[in-house]
């Protein structure tokens, strides 16, 4: 995560939920690239909410990402809140 000095991971299972399918690694990367702003917003929100220390790795769940997609009105299918 830029500015946080740590790795922010998203498990393939989160993508499976968000895409409502069993995604390939390429599908996951394409989805991330399409909604990168929402992923970054989800990471910032989780860091703030959980008070994650600088340099501490974190992972995003499908719920973390779906919240930001819903806020931006970008979710069309997959996980609902």
């Amino acid at each position: 995560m830029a500015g946080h000095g740590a790795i922010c991971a998203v498990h393939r299972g989160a993508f499976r939920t968000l895409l409502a399918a069993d995604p390939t690694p390429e599908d996951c990367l394409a989805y991330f690239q399409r909604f990168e702003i929402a992923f970054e917003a989800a990471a910032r929100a989780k860091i703030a909410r959980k008070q994650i220390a600088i340099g501490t790795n974190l992972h995003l769940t499908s719920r973390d990402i779906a919240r930001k997609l819903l806020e931006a009105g970008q979710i069309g299918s997959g996980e609902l809140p």
Side-chain angles (χ1 to χ4, degrees):
M1 175 73 210
H4 186 70
I7 295 170
C8 179
V10 180
H11 295 283
R12 188 167 171 220
F15 286 101
R16 185 178 303 119
T17 300
L18 291 164
L19 292 165
D22 193 18
T24 65
E26 293 78 18
D27 295 333
C28 297
L29 184 56
Y31 190 83
F32 169 78
Q33 289 171 336
R34 181 174 175 199
F35 298 113
E36 187 170 355
I37 293 169
F39 279 77
E40 290 174 2
R44 283 192 303 275
K46 187 164 197 170
I47 288 166
R49 186 175 67 253
K50 300 277 189 172
Q51 298 180 333
I52 298 171
I54 291 175
T56 302
N57 295 340
L58 65 139
H59 77 276
L60 296 177
T61 66
S62 58
R63 287 181 191 222
D64 295 326
I65 299 159
R67 274 188 208 109
K68 294 305 173 184
L69 290 170
L70 286 168
E71 287 174 12
Q74 293 180 322
I75 197 165
S77 65
E79 182 180 281
L80 298 175

